[in-house]
Amino acid sequence: MRIGEIASRAGVSRDTVRFYERMGLLNEAAQPHLSNNYKEYSPLALRRIELITHAKALGFTLKEIADVIGAWERQALAPSEKRLLIREKIREVENKAHSLAVLRVALSEALDKVESGCSDELPA
């Protein structure tokens, strides 16, 4: 599939696909026809973009994703190391979830005050 199709199917822009390729997050796409600049992306590239998008949504940085992809491709990451990375990321997600819950409570309280006509100002 060409860049427009893979970008559309993955829900990202063409520039994002090109960026991931430059960053080494995607293997370089094949150029089967030397007479034009069209690249052909594989179904594996689509799965990789979906993985990157999902991992970013879960809080992984592109560097972390690149490190894991590189180690995975080199098979240099032992299962115990993979588990450790995933557990650490789970802890980070749980911490973020807690922080978001605290923020939600504070915002709800602020909304209640606004809706009831109360203010934070002290009487003069």
Side-chain angles (χ1 to χ4, degrees):
M1 70 192 94
R2 292 189 181 152
I3 193 166
E5 182 181 357
I6 196 168
S8 175
R9 289 176 70 180
V12 298
S13 69
R14 292 174 184 196
D15 288 336
T16 298
V17 174
R18 290 183 190 105
F19 178 73
Y20 289 166
E21 196 171 4
R22 280 193 311 272
M23 294 289 296
L25 296 169
L26 294 177
N27 294 332
E28 192 168 326
Q31 259 181 297
H33 306 291
L34 297 178
S35 61
N36 61 39
N37 290 331
Y38 296 140
K39 293 181 178 182
E40 289 293 325
Y41 293 88
S42 69
L44 178 62
L46 175 60
R47 287 187 16 227
R48 179 72 60 83
I49 294 169
E50 292 169 343
L51 167 84
I52 294 166
T53 302
H54 187 69
K56 282 179 56 184
L58 294 174
F60 283 83
T61 65
L62 287 179
K63 170 140 180 32
E64 290 171 322
I65 295 166
D67 290 347
V68 171
I69 287 172
W72 206 281
E73 287 180 343
R74 290 187 313 275
Q75 297 180 347
L77 203 57
S80 61
E81 293 172 302
K82 291 176 189 179
R83 285 190 295 275
L84 185 65
L85 278 172
I86 293 168
R87 284 186 182 123
E88 177 57 33
K89 204 39 83 172
I90 288 170
R91 277 191 291 279
E92 288 178 25
V93 168
E94 288 170 344
N95 289 338
K96 285 181 185 179
H98 175 73
S99 295
L100 286 170
V102 169
L103 178 60
R104 185 183 189 291
V105 168
L107 289 171
S108 292
E109 290 172 354
L111 181 61
D112 289 345
K113 284 182 180 181
V114 169
E115 288 177 343
S116 69
C118 295
S119 74
D120 288 332
E121 296 177 20
L122 296 172

